[in-house]
Amino acid sequence: MKRVTRYYLQSIGYYCVLFFLTAFILASIVLSITLASSTAIIKLSAGEFVNLYLLQVPQLIYYIFPVSFVAGVIIGLGKMALELEIIVFFSLKASRQFFLKPLFVLTVCISLISFVSGFFLFPLSKSASKNLVELKKSTAELNVATNEFGQKFGNWLVFVSGTTPQGDYQDVVLYKKEKDGEYLVRAASGKVLLENSTFDFTASKGQAYSINLEHHNEKVGVVEFDAMNLSK
């Protein structure tokens, strides 16, 4: 009977693990994309990004573990019923307790893991994740590489040709297109400031160009400035 019990648990466990790994991998991919998008404005090292991802694992376990267990049990029992294995178990004098007792023990274990993850690890990891992001924001280190196109600061496209030892950007170009026109800012230097939990980009010594489209007539404006603040 021990072999029958082992086979029964292996059949159920196989589908539970298979469903969990599939859901966990898919959720991890979605989570990684979400983290990359939400932290695109700040500069994170590979180790910090992995640490931020690991802090979200309790959240994944809290949601995926119970669903994987229920789905695995349903699929496993359905497969055994379809292949008439349950009838074979009953022919071997297996009672209803034979099916229910292992599931009850597994349900208690899954419930305890979900409880610990949801009410202890989840809040702690969420708080640690938020503190890590706020700590990186407090350094005000913008995630902009030199001599690369297509980088964004809010609604602005940003291009910088170099940086100074102090962390300021040199030869800055910013471009934004809106419904009423297009805007271009050229500056000799620029730097990032953090004010009221938002990033501001301060451009110094340059020109701002605006092309306003009104009734199909283009109006070009040019303004020279010593300092200009651009919000994210």
Side-chain angles (χ1 to χ4, degrees), residues 122-197:
F122 189 4
L124 291 175
S125 62
K126 186 176 181 180
S127 176
S129 176
K130 183 179 180 180
N131 291 337
L132 176 61
V133 173
E134 292 299 327
L135 177 62
K136 295 302 296 183
K137 282 185 177 181
S138 65
T139 62
E141 188 175 359
L142 187 64
N143 188 21
V144 174
T146 58
N147 297 318
E148 289 189 12
F149 296 95
Q151 302 175 100
K152 299 194 70 175
F153 176 78
N155 296 326
W156 293 89
L157 290 172
V158 183
F159 177 84
V160 297
S161 63
T163 57
T164 64
Q166 292 76 23
D168 296 343
Y169 298 101
Q170 296 177 319
D171 297 329
V172 180
V173 178
L174 300 102
Y175 172 79
K176 178 173 66 172
K177 184 176 181 179
E178 295 184 345
K179 293 181 179 180
D180 59 344
E182 301 177 23
Y183 303 90
L184 178 70
V185 177
R186 296 183 58 188
S189 63
K191 61 181 179 180
V192 181
L193 299 175
L194 184 66
E195 295 182 358
N196 298 325
S197 300

Side-chain angles (χ1 to χ4, degrees), residues 156 172 174 182-188 203-212 219-230:
W156 293 89
V172 180
L174 300 102
E182 301 177 23
Y183 303 90
L184 178 70
V185 177
R186 296 183 58 188
S204 302
K205 296 182 180 180
Q207 301 84 32
Y209 303 86
S210 62
I211 304 176
N212 295 325
K219 295 183 179 180
V220 180
V222 181
V223 176
E224 293 189 0
F225 60 86
D226 292 328
M228 177 181 289
N229 291 332
L230 302 172

